Amino acid sequence: MPSSFRMLFDAECDKPYVIAARTDADRDSWMQALQGASIERLRLQMETLRDAIRKKTGHDPMENVEQCSATSEAPSLSSSTGQTRSKFHVGLACCNLPNDSLGRSPNPLVLVSQLTPPHYQWSKCDQTEVVEKSNSPRFAKTVCVLESKDEDTKLKFSVFDMKERMTTTMVPIGDALITQEQFLTERSLVLPLFNSSENSVGCIAIELIRSSENEAKQSYAEVEQFLFVNSLCANFQFDAIRGLLHVTELMAESRICFAVPKLLLNLWMHEEQRKIEDIENLSTFPKELEMVRQEVINLKTRLIEAYTQSSLYLDEHEGHFHKPSRDKGSRETEFVPVNLHFQRMCVTDSRPQEYIYDAITVGAFTAHAQSYKQGGLYAQLAKLEESRQSLPHRQSKSFDHESVHGVLENLHSLREEIRRQCDHLCYCANQGSGKMLKESSDLLADKSRQLFEVGELPVVCELVSSVDRMVAGDLDASKQEPAASAEAEGPAQWRWSGTKFVKTPTVEPWDVTRVNTEAALISLLAKVEEVIDVQSGEQRVAETFWLSLVSPLVINYKNNVDLVTHRACDALTLYSLMEDVSTASVAQSIQYRRDVIFSQGLTALVSGFYAIIWANIDSMAFLQQLVSIGLLVQYESLLSCHGDEMAMLEDTMVAMQDLDSVQFKFEESSREVFDHTFDPPKITGGRLRYTVHVLVPPHIFARLPKELKRGHGIRVVHVIFSIGINEQATLAETFGDVKLQELINYKSLHKLQNYFINFEEVLNLSEDDRRCVNDLMKELNMAVFAKRSKNTDILRIAAELAREMNGLRFTMCKSAKDRSSMAITLEQANILKQRHNLADFEQALNSMRSVGTRRENVAKNTNTRKYAFTSMQLLTFPKQYRPPSGTYGLGET
């Protein structure tokens, strides 16, 4: 083409633009003008002039300009950490702002700066959001200003027109100046705006408003002091159908983010060491399994070493409370959840009450540092079970590895509890207290009953009988070979003769062993009753002789308990070892991965449990709900069923199943008030059954129902609803399948329906509340079974149901910073619309996404305040999950 030239942009190097002029002279002049207008050349000229001015004046002339140009990129949020100066909040509105040279309405935003003598430079305080195409905007975000004691402090309100949000290109419209003292005196003013030519360009209305942030922090103070730290606040004023809504967003980190994983690691190291001891102490052991035994011991030893290294590394992170998404692939911190944050929205409307809505955002419970080549845990566990089912010793399909392991752990726990209770019984006898002796014997009887029930389980009876047959076979062989009499002595069994244990060459039947143990308990309890009855009668026994009467029977019973648990544990351990003949290494790898995701899940759960308890500590109805039907925990997942996210969803699904085994108990702390060195929770139990002991101050413990004071366990009901919303979800729906997503939603719907039935029975609901919850449940049922692409109605309805049933809310995606931010802000906007009559839904949604706390969440994780979306990606997103222009761009996902 004649008189033309080609132009390439760096971002579109494969897309040249051909520009033609009328003549060659015009073409050359255009090329010269464009080269002179290049950003690199202009930046070089600016730096040259900047250096010259700096040399003459001694200060940087661009410092304040750079702050202004970055306003939309770096919104200021007030922080509660280390803040001692008082603050005030300002509501802003403009009127009669001029159009630009093309007659277009501006996209205004306001930057507030402060100047306190003797300083000569303005310092940025805060900014508003951008209001699109408005000559008379009212800004939703209220700006926060630190109050100065100097009466000459000045405030400057600078209005800008945002020309292009993606590149934060904007031009100044005008400024207004006022002293801080005058503003705090007048409280509400309308100031004229003047441009650089001193021409009037409209006006700005400023109003001192009551600080909703202070009220939010007042309600939040106890929670923050106890568990959450490093909080950030953003304040808004939204129009409601009647009046204004004062809204405060609050985001904070969990103080126990690194503490809970360390507790679990110590627990698992102890459990693995005990397994090694069980394997080494097997009294009956086939010689052909010796190599397997040694391999399993070596694997468990290496596992303990890995846990020890992780625990030591977590010790080095003392004082850290947040794991950013950029570290999600770190091996050292893989037990710590990614980007765990507490999110609170406080709302004050025309009613006098303040309303609080809490949620937890966290990255998917998955092993980022490990490979996804074999899929997630759900697939890996299925493959492992298939390989175990093919083993020759698998005569009964009902004895899966997990059930055997669970019974084994239960036996160890009961044995230790019974031995402790026996020691306590002797202590009570030594004290000569009939009441204490009675209570201790009742507890001992209860724990013993649980042990006898375990001994009667089919899995225990069958496996012990198998070992007995193995021992009997060894004994028969030894009779045929007299030379092997020394070896025959090995498998001989111990039997109680009435006065002591003696070796016998015959195998005592399992039923006889159990009956002997029960008989020993009956004798002990009968002696305790006799002592108590005699003491209360006329013939009194000296209290000093109580211990001498009881202790022989206690020793007898403890020996019997040791024998019955030893035989059962031997059989179960041997069976577990036979399971590991060909799968030991794979099983160990899966167990490690499972521990990683469980640690992440439990840390998030404990953090959320503290938050919901403190928010509802004065609600007796809520506490009674915990006693009767447990705590509902609802997870909202935005993971897709494609690629690595499919494996992440599988990991998270297994984490939900494991978390069902967790219960919470309250314990009274010795300290009246907790500070930054508060007592962390205690965790007892082991894999398949955990108890989290929550230590609370005495004044909190006193408010609890009597059942919780007595140690009643609070069970947790987990439900997870998952809908993929990104481009990978589009691929899964188009070319793959979403069967896993559907399975998760079906199972969670069934669990939620069961909880709903109990909820209706336990709580005394009004007719309106009952109708509301029933309608939501019907809507959710229809939404789950509706075959719709990216049916986010499921997530919305499930979240509403969880709040109606006093549940704990979680939102998660891969890293909990981009899609989770869209989801949590959408939920907050929906709450404002449905419960507080919000007038402008889109304004509220875009304001919270552009200048709310979630932009700061992105910055904490990636060091940039742009959501990691591209324009092409967002075309596949549901419309309500798309961020406003200028808040997203290429970044770390």
Side-chain angles (χ1 to χ4, degrees), residues 272-322:
E272 292 300 323
Q273 185 60 46
R274 189 177 62 209
K275 287 181 181 179
I276 292 176
E277 293 172 359
D278 284 343
I279 296 173
E280 290 177 336
N281 296 332
L282 278 173
S283 59
T284 303
F285 188 76
K287 294 180 180 179
E288 58 269 19
L289 291 180
E290 180 59 41
M291 291 183 63
V292 178
R293 171 159 75 169
Q294 195 56 50
E295 180 187 0
V296 172
I297 291 175
N298 292 338
L299 286 171
K300 292 189 178 301
T301 301
R302 288 199 292 270
L303 187 63
I304 293 174
E305 292 173 355
Y307 288 160
T308 302
Q309 285 297 114
S310 296
S311 181
L312 292 174
Y313 193 86
L314 292 179
D315 286 339
E316 297 175 6
H317 278 69
E318 188 172 353
H320 290 238
F321 308 111
H322 175 241

Side-chain angles (χ1 to χ4, degrees), residues 620-622 624-625 628-629 757-771 773 804 806:
M620 190 55 64
F622 172 76
Q624 287 295 344
Q625 177 183 342
S628 303
I629 60 175
I757 294 171
N758 296 329
F759 179 80
E760 280 195 311
E761 293 176 354
V762 170
L763 268 76
N764 186 21
L765 300 175
S766 65
E767 276 302 315
D768 290 342
D769 291 340
R770 190 178 300 274
R771 190 182 307 111
V773 179
E804 290 292 337
N806 306 319

Side-chain angles (χ1 to χ4, degrees), residues 564-619:
V564 75
T565 54
H566 178 70
R567 288 189 65 184
C569 288
D570 261 14
L572 295 170
T573 301
L574 183 60
Y575 181 85
S576 298
L577 199 61
M578 294 169 69
E579 292 273 275
D580 291 331
V581 167
S582 60
T583 62
S585 179
V586 175
Q588 189 85 332
S589 175
I590 290 177
Q591 185 61 65
Y592 183 86
R593 187 187 191 99
R594 197 167 188 172
D595 289 345
V596 167
I597 66 170
F598 180 81
S599 174
Q600 297 174 7
L602 185 62
T603 303
L605 175 62
V606 175
S607 300
F609 183 82
Y610 275 102
I612 197 170
I613 288 298
W614 256 249
N616 297 275
I617 195 64
D618 293 320
S619 172

